[in-house]
Amino acid sequence: MIFILASVAFGAAISTVVPPLRGPDEIAHFLRIYSYARGMVLPAAEVNGRKGLFVAPELEAQLTFFKNAGERFGQNRERGLRYPEIMNEYPQLSATSAQQAPVFMPFAGTEGYNAVAYAPYIIAVAIADLLGLNFPSMLLFMRLTGLVTFTVVAAYAIKLMPTLKWAFVLTAMLPVSIYNRAVLSADGAALAYALMITALCFRAIDRHLPAWQRSLWTTLCTLSKQPQIVFIVLELMVSRLTDLRQRWRKVALIVVPSLILSPLWVLAVSAEIAVWRLGMAETYPREQFDPLWKLAYMWEHPLHFPVAMWTTVTVWGDRLWPELIGILGWQDVWLPVWVYLILTMTLLFVPLQKLDLPGDVRARVATITGLCAIGYFFAVYLIFFLTYTPVEIDHIRGVQGRYFVIALPLAAIFLASIVNVNLPARMVAAAAVTGALISGIASFWSLLWAHWLP
């Protein structure tokens, strides 16, 4: 209940205070959601090699206004520009467009996202259309619908956990987590589904749970974002490896749908990922962004990827942790330094709980969660190397720390399995609640100050 109240209260405040389309790639997410709401499961429309959809000129004018407003704000924020001044220009927008034909707008990389990452937003668009809401009201309604839905999913995961509940609460209440639930993003769904399958597999260690539950949530988890395919290994945490012969049918029921549907979806959408961004300003050969071509290149140059990954982590890795805690907006709204320090210490503190598991089971849990976390880390870098990084570049482009919040529940279980100490429950609860309040207040105030206050 504490998590639900904090998540909804702070999330609703953030949804309201974040200007339209100021979330990361929010216009691209909106267009993909809008296409799903109109039955376009596969991105069929294509203009000049870019996939997208045709929208009414009135909607295109509003989307363009808020997109340009965000870019203008980013360029002039330090000079004192704030959104009250920008929004004064919005009422004159309705009469600006005389164009009658639908306008093509590209997805800009979001065509690869599956509908499971957008499910509540798609429903919200349908309801907003019935109510006749204008774009800003529709966007806010979509944000709030996603916030409530993913809060409920995360709350159920917390309820399922036999222990480490407060570690899950803190992870789901980090600034990056609240923010991703409060704007249009695939990250809110990705974290909620990851929490669910982690909680289900951890709970199934000492009690029977229906296999269909883990099958469902594993499939949702792996379809929400491609790197999360590694979460299928969590099923190995449920029982001893020697028992696989007796339960292979159940394991197959759980993991096979993900192994089939995830690669099939990638092939079906033929996603641009982010090639269009590079192509706008650079002239690298297009095949360098083809995963199959890149895999063949890796076969011939096996050291290129690990060296590039090492360079990325060692040279640019200092920004990953603040981004994981939360650098909001377009990665331009920083929190106070003390917030990052306190939340880091709290994240290390709340998993220090005793697991009521035998030693051999704890060892298995530590091994599987550790391997899964490391596998997810490598999968993120591999995907960005395959789809986003030219071979002439000595590092991997595009990786942001916010992608790794997905691995924090695994890290919490791993740390608890290794340390296995029993701190006072009230102390752990107080630390997690304090961290959640700091996250919510600091995120709201930083976003309010950055966008609206002179």
Side-chain angles (χ1 to χ4, degrees), residues 240-274:
R240 295 176 298 178
L241 295 179
T242 55
D243 295 338
L244 285 178
R245 289 185 178 180
Q246 288 76 33
R247 56 188 300 269
W248 69 268
R249 290 183 179 85
K250 181 180 293 186
V251 173
L253 172 65
I254 294 169
V255 305
V256 168
S258 297
L259 292 174
I260 295 176
L261 294 177
S262 182
L264 279 181
W265 174 254
V266 173
L267 292 174
V269 297
S270 183
E272 292 175 308
I273 307 297

Side-chain angles (χ1 to χ4, degrees), residues 116-185:
V116 302
Y118 295 140
Y121 306 129
I122 297 170
I123 297 172
V125 169
I127 297 174
D129 282 342
L130 291 175
L131 297 176
L133 300 181
N134 62 11
F135 170 69
S137 300
M138 175 191 291
L139 181 65
L140 180 59
F141 182 62
M142 293 168 67
R143 287 175 173 179
L144 295 175
T145 303
L147 168 69
V148 172
T149 302
F150 298 133
T151 294
V152 170
V153 175
Y156 186 49
I158 293 167
K159 181 177 176 58
L160 284 173
M161 286 294 291
T163 185
L164 296 174
K165 293 177 183 288
W166 289 111
F168 273 47
V169 168
L170 183 60
T171 298
M173 284 301 297
L174 287 176
V176 67
S177 304
I178 307 173
Y179 184 78
N180 287 336
R181 283 197 300 278
V183 299
L184 299 191
S185 172

Side-chain angles (χ1 to χ4, degrees), residues 291-306 381-383 385-386 391:
L292 295 178
W293 184 93
K294 193 68 71 66
L295 287 171
Y297 177 86
M298 291 175 63
W299 178 261
E300 297 176 0
H301 305 83
L303 295 180
H304 187 101
F305 169 68
Y381 277 96
L382 178 61
I383 288 175
F385 177 75
L386 293 175
V391 296

Side-chain angles (χ1 to χ4, degrees), residues 205-241:
I205 293 173
D206 59 359
R207 67 181 64 192
H208 173 74
L209 292 177
W212 68 264
Q213 286 186 349
R214 300 202 294 285
S215 180
L216 170 64
W217 290 103
T218 299
T219 305
L220 293 176
C221 180
T222 56
L223 286 177
S224 60
K225 280 200 168 185
Q226 275 72 43
Q228 295 182 200
I229 190 69
V230 300
F231 275 72
I232 63 175
V233 306
L234 288 181
E235 184 60 26
L236 300 178
M237 182 171 63
V238 173
S239 63
R240 295 176 298 178
L241 295 179

Side-chain angles (χ1 to χ4, degrees), residues 11-23:
I14 291 171
S15 293
T16 305
V17 82
V18 174
L21 305 186
R22 265 294 287 177

